[in-house]
């Protein structure tokens, strides 16, 4: 309790956010912070993304003699961008997409009150567990893919920033069981009843897509109209946008690759070399890490990490692939208990 009180007293108070009590900081960005908070009236726990509107000019920020009101401020978050993020999030309702409860603003900040995902980032789960089994990877990636299918096919939205940091787990209760899905990593801990957020004892939480900061509404491929409106857009734009959904499919391939082995398909310390590798689509199924992973999984990844966007799998092709439709392996038979007389 003392710890909690100390933590709370360190939390900032924002004008315009009086209906909420901030409990903890969960995310840290250049111009935004994400907090765990509770709505005072209802007791409902939420996540609040607080986005700064302005930044003091660097040269003046530390100048104590300059009167506050004369300090020049630079707008750091474009209103149009944040409104677009809000518009896209408001228009979506799917179990694999983080919900936006409300949006408000003060003179200094924008506030996005969202559904709280207590299990944290998929990225942290990969770090914690080293890598995921094929069954667990399938369980996770199918949820993400359903979210992408909804965004692409039903909303005409491209996310454009799919990565393990933007895929968040719900917190799930400990259900003691011997679920084979997560046994490769967690078996010992499961017996101790240790809670692993998102991948808790015996069950696996829902995964949802977050951060629509870079997302965009695109053109409908069949009708060649922007989703929801009829436009007068030039063919080169329509042509370009026809393949823009494929950026999410590439990213989905990168996430699936990373889930299965624990490291990303493209990596180099030099940004130039890394860019070159991505541009050429140069990746390998590195031995020994990939030796025991099924051909089917590799086949699926190779159709996603495909440089030509016209050849890359669409979300429907992804979901129809045999690897996505393979039933998880049955649980191992119980070990017979032998009495030793
Ligand atoms: P980025 O630099 O990743 O684009 P950002 O400033 O745009 O960051 P978000 O990506 O939306 O902000 O959030 C930053 C981090 O805050 C996430 O990676 C996640 O760890 C945490 N976070 C965001 N939304 C939620 C949520 N609804 N529930 C729990 N944690 C969240």
């Amino acid at each position: 309790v003392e710890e909690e009180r100390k933590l709370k007293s360190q939390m900032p108070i924002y004008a315009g956010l009086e209906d909420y009590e901030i409990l903890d900081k969960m995310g840290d960005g250049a111009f935004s912070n994400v907090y765990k908070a509770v709505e005072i009236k209802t007791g409902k726990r939420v996540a609040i993304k607080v986005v700064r509107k302005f930044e003091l000019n660097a040269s003046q920020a530390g100048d104590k003699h300059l009167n506050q009101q004369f300090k020049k401020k630079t707008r750091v978050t474009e209103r149009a961008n944040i409104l677009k993020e809000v518009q896209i999030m408001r228009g979506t309702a799917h179990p694999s997409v983080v919900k936006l409860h409300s949006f408000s603003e003060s003179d200094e900040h924008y506030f996005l009150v969202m559904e709280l995902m207590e299990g944290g980032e998929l990225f942290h789960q990969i770090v914690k567990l080293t890598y995921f089994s094929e069954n667990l990877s399938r369980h996770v990636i199918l949820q993400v893919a359903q979210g992408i299918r909804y965004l692409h096919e039903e909303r005409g939205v491209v996310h454009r920033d799919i990565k393990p940091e933007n895929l968040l787990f719900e917190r799930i209760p400990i259900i003691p069981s011997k679920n084979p899905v997560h046994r490769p990593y967690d078996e010992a801990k499961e017996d101790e009843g240790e809670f692993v957020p998102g991948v808790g004892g015996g069950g696996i939480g829902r995964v949802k897509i977050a951060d629509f900061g870079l997302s965009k509404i695109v053109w409908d491929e069949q009708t060649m109209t922007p989703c929801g409106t009829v436009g007068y857009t030039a063919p080169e734009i329509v042509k370009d946008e026809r393949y823009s959904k494929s950026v999410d499919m590439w990213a989905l391939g990168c996430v699936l690759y990373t889930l299965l082995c624990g490291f990303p398909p493209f990596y180099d310390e030099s940004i130039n070399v890394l860019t070159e590798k991505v541009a050429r689509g140069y990746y390998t199924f590195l031995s020994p890490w990939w030796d025991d992973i099924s051909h089917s999984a590799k086949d699926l990844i190779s159709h996603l990490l495909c440089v030509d966007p016209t050849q890359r799998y669409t979300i429907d092709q992804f979901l129809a692939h045999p690897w996505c439709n393979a039933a998880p392996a049955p649980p191992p038979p119980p070990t017979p208990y032998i009495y030793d007389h």
Side-chain angles (χ1 to χ4, degrees):
V1 174
E2 191 49 43
E3 268 298 299
E4 213 168 66
R5 199 174 294 147
K6 213 165 116 196
L7 202 66
K8 270 188 215 163
S9 67
Q10 291 164 358
M11 288 297 124
I13 294 168
Y14 293 102
L17 215 52
E18 289 79 9
D19 293 346
Y20 297 89
E21 183 181 7
I22 293 181
L23 304 176
D24 204 356
K25 192 194 246 182
M26 291 188 299
D28 217 338
F31 305 116
S32 69
N33 287 316
V34 178
Y35 298 98
K36 184 190 288 183
V38 58
E39 190 179 24
I40 295 164
K41 210 162 57 190
T42 59
K44 190 164 92 176
R45 290 156 82 81
V46 293
I48 307 182
K49 181 164 166 174
V50 178
V51 185
R52 273 213 310 280
K53 289 186 176 180
F54 306 102
E55 175 97 309
L56 286 177
N57 279 6
S59 59
Q60 301 172 339
D63 189 344
K64 290 198 193 74
H65 304 297
L66 202 62
N67 192 316
Q68 191 67 26
Q69 70 198 34
F70 294 120
K71 286 188 181 177
K72 203 162 176 278
K73 288 176 177 177
T74 320
R75 187 173 277 279
V76 287
T77 308
E78 283 305 325
R79 190 177 182 76
N81 289 346
I82 200 87
L83 291 182
K84 192 192 66 191
E85 181 174 351
V86 168
Q87 184 205 0
I88 288 175
M89 280 189 93
R90 266 201 183 137
T92 58
H94 189 273
S96 295
V97 176
V98 170
K99 269 186 206 51
L100 178 73
H101 292 316
S102 69
F103 170 72
S104 61
E105 62 181 306
S106 66
D107 289 346
E108 300 284 332
H109 299 97
Y110 298 107
F111 304 112
L112 281 78
V113 180
M114 298 175 285
E115 158 184 26
L116 177 63
M117 299 296 290
E118 289 199 73
E121 300 173 14
L122 177 58
F123 176 76
H124 290 137
Q125 299 303 335
I126 301 172
V127 171
K128 201 177 284 166
L129 304 176
T130 318
Y131 63 90
F132 285 24
S133 70
E134 287 197 40
N135 286 339
L136 182 51
S137 301
R138 182 184 297 111
H139 177 85
V140 168
I141 210 76
L142 282 181
Q143 294 184 54
V144 178
Q146 291 297 353
I148 291 179
R149 201 206 65 78
Y150 168 79
L151 293 172
H152 285 188
E153 306 297 319
E154 290 180 41
R155 314 294 337 169
V157 166
V158 200
H159 186 279
R160 303 205 296 180
D161 200 16
I162 297 287
K163 54 184 180 184
E165 293 88 330
N166 287 334
L167 301 172
L168 307 179
F169 273 108
E170 254 176 5
R171 191 188 193 103
I172 58 148
I174 306 168
I175 311 157
S177 88
K178 288 280 182 192
N179 188 334
V181 174
H182 75 290
R183 283 182 84 149
Y185 330 97
D186 217 9
E187 202 172 4
K189 288 180 181 169
E190 188 183 81
D191 292 332
E192 294 159 20
E194 186 176 323
F195 176 75
V196 181
V199 194
I204 298 145
R206 274 215 72 91
V207 185
K208 303 195 185 202
I209 302 169
D211 192 2
F212 284 75
L214 291 183
S215 61
K216 198 175 153 204
I217 297 174
V218 295
W219 296 77
D220 188 293
E221 282 170 29
Q222 269 89 49
T223 61
M224 291 297 176
T225 54
C227 215
T229 48
V230 181
Y232 298 86
T233 305
E236 59 273 22
I237 294 180
V238 178
K239 226 161 59 205
D240 255 354
E241 303 231 313
R242 268 177 67 177
Y243 298 111
S244 66
K245 287 174 187 169
S246 59
V247 302
D248 288 344
M249 299 312 295
W250 176 276
L252 193 67
C254 291
V255 172
L256 179 56
Y257 181 107
T258 309
L259 281 174
L260 287 167
C261 69
F263 51 86
F266 303 98
Y267 180 74
D268 203 281
E269 287 191 358
S270 145
I271 187 76
N272 291 335
V273 177
L274 176 60
T275 308
E276 189 64 25
K277 281 184 180 174
V278 173
R280 291 169 187 267
Y282 180 75
Y283 71 95
T284 53
F285 293 119
L286 217 59
S287 186
W289 295 275
W290 281 86
D291 293 355
D292 295 333
I293 298 173
S294 69
H295 289 295
S296 186
K298 290 174 190 164
D299 179 74
L300 177 55
I301 289 170
S302 65
H303 283 100
L304 296 167
L305 300 184
C306 164
V307 175
D308 180 355
T310 65
Q311 298 300 310
R312 201 175 301 153
Y313 267 8
T314 64
I315 193 63
D316 287 334
Q317 287 172 312
F318 175 91
L319 287 166
H321 191 275
W323 187 82
C324 288
N325 297 289
T335 321
Y337 193 85
I338 300 162
Y339 283 101
D340 188 6
H341 292 295

